[in-house]
Amino acid sequence: DQQVKQNSPSLSVQEGRISILNCDYTNSMFDYFLWYKKYPAEGPTFLISISSIKDKNEDGRFTVFLNKSAKHLSLHIVPSQPGDSAVYFCAASWGSARQLTFGSGTQLTVLP
Amino acid sequence: EPEVTQTPSHQVTQMGQEVILRCVPISNHLYFYWYRQILGQKVEFLVSFYNNEISEKSEIFDDQFSVERPDGSNFTLKIRSTKLEDSAMYFCASRGYSGANVLTFGAGSRLTVL
């Protein structure tokens, strides 16, 4: 039951260029979407989020876009930096408990 | 910055033994969660806990698992009789209030069952 999907297991980009990470979901009940970043041997760290009533949220170099009709969201990182190299997880939540359903992650490598 | 603290960072146990993983959530948070990540797989929800009771649990969270908030600061996950397939990273997370959406995660406890 893959309610949240990240179809690209890995992505490599050059430093200074744009990184675009994609995520699709199937559950129409999701009303909040988050991106987490994870380094090896550490827990997921919150990066940026978006409510289902919005289509864009920006925080510095990070922008998340939500297309509800397509059940698709994306994370843009501009400009990409080598320190951005990590696994990025898309997650979604709904309901009173607000537990997160995670995608399988995308390993981003930013090449100097 | 407030953080979620988990102990131990790594535990090795024999199959069939009981294991308790401990978490200290952020002090003013009210909602608590356990997740696990088997090597190479996605982060999976186990259980959520609010007001001293389980609010949601996944099908993974069977009778072998239990959670407890024994005092005002700790939140524990107990696995009664460990199996090989319980080997994973276990992450604790907490959330502040009913309108909050962001979960803050701890660094995880690696459980290895031999």
Side-chain angles (χ1 to χ4, degrees):
Chain A
D1 177 17
Q2 293 191 62
Q3 296 188 60
V4 179
K5 297 181 190 178
Q6 293 176 258
N7 292 319
S8 298
S10 63
L11 174 68
S12 292
V13 299
Q14 289 293 133
E15 181 178 5
R17 306 295 291 269
I18 184 170
S19 295
I20 300 176
L21 295 94
N22 293 302
C23 178
D24 298 294
Y25 63 95
T26 57
N27 188 344
S28 299
M29 299 296 290
F30 289 139
D31 58 11
Y32 205 82
F33 304 89
L34 308 90
W35 286 92
Y36 281 81
K37 179 178 176 180
K38 187 180 180 304
Y39 294 112
E42 294 185 12
T45 302
F46 171 71
L47 192 58
I48 192 170
S49 62
I50 188 167
S51 164
S52 62
I53 62 173
K54 296 187 175 182
D55 55 19
K56 178 181 174 182
N57 187 28
E58 192 171 353
D59 184 2
R61 296 186 298 115
F62 303 91
T63 304
V64 55
F65 295 93
L66 175 62
N67 182 334
K68 278 185 66 178
S69 61
K71 293 191 176 66
H72 177 83
L73 64 155
S74 60
L75 173 67
H76 293 209
I77 306 173
V78 182
S80 301
Q81 300 172 353
D84 295 331
S85 297
V87 177
Y88 288 78
F89 289 98
C90 170
S93 67
W94 70 283
S96 59
R98 311 306 297 175
Q99 73 265 25
L100 301 178
T101 300
F102 282 89
S104 53
T106 297
Q107 171 71 58
L108 174 65
T109 303
V110 180
L111 305 168
Chain B
E1 187 170 332
E3 59 180 27
V4 175
T5 305
Q6 291 187 241
T7 55
S9 56
H10 188 193
Q11 181 153 358
V12 181
T13 191
Q14 295 290 322
M15 189 169 56
Q17 295 296 303
E18 175 183 285
V19 161
I20 297 176
L21 305 178
R22 292 183 168 79
C23 170
V24 179
I26 293 172
S27 64
N28 60 349
H29 281 193
L30 302 176
Y31 299 82
F32 314 112
Y33 306 80
W34 283 101
Y35 286 78
R36 79 172 185 191
Q37 185 181 28
I38 295 171
L39 187 63
Q41 299 186 23
K42 62 170 62 179
V43 178
E44 300 174 290
F45 167 71
L46 293 178
V47 66
S48 60
F49 191 87
Y50 168 70
N51 201 25
N52 281 321
E53 61 182 26
I54 291 173
S55 46
E56 294 282 344
K57 61 181 181 178
S58 71
E59 2 176 277
I60 303 168
F61 193 87
D62 60 23
D63 292 344
Q64 292 295 316
F65 292 90
S66 63
V67 289
E68 192 178 32
R69 188 153 162 83
D71 53 43
S73 59
N74 290 284
F75 178 51
T76 62
L77 174 69
K78 181 191 290 186
I79 309 175
R80 288 192 182 81
S81 177
T82 50
K83 301 182 280 238
L84 296 175
E85 54 265 38
D86 293 327
S87 295
M89 282 290 289
Y90 288 82
F91 295 105
C92 174
S94 67
R95 176 169 70 91
Y97 55 92
S98 63
N101 288 287
V102 177
L103 274 63
T104 302
F105 285 82
S109 293
R110 176 171 297 285
L111 175 64
T112 302
V113 182
L114 303 175

